[in-house]
Amino acid sequence: RRFGVPARVLPRLGMGGLAFAILMAAELGLAMLLFGQTAAQHWAAYRALAEQIGLAAQIGFAAMPLLRLRFGR
């Protein structure tokens, strides 16, 4: 095992939630630094369907620790 995350729901949700928060913070930081967007502009972009699909994929990424608990390797 790479990380000693207990095989229980709450630790797995916490790990996924932390990964999601880091991912979203990195995305916001890059949008601000590379594209000159404000935080409000970045969050407003999620009104578009393409951005919503991307967000759904990021939520799927965050769900992986919990899904591994449920479905195994």
Side-chain angles (χ1 to χ4, degrees):
R1 288 165 78 117
R2 292 184 183 188
F3 300 101
V5 181
R8 295 190 318 269
V9 172
L10 275 179
R12 297 292 174 125
L13 282 175
M15 182 180 189
L18 178 62
F20 181 73
I22 292 170
L23 181 64
M24 295 304 290
E27 183 178 303
L28 175 61
L30 288 173
M32 294 173 83
L33 288 173
L34 297 179
F35 301 110
Q37 292 181 340
T38 65
Q41 290 171 327
H42 176 70
W43 299 124
Y46 283 104
R47 292 183 189 144
L49 179 61
E51 297 293 330
Q52 292 172 5
I53 292 170
L55 181 61
Q58 292 169 338
I59 292 170
F61 163 77
M64 287 300 163
L66 188 59
L67 291 174
R68 258 193 81 157
L69 175 66
R70 174 72 171 103
F71 298 107
R73 291 187 159 214

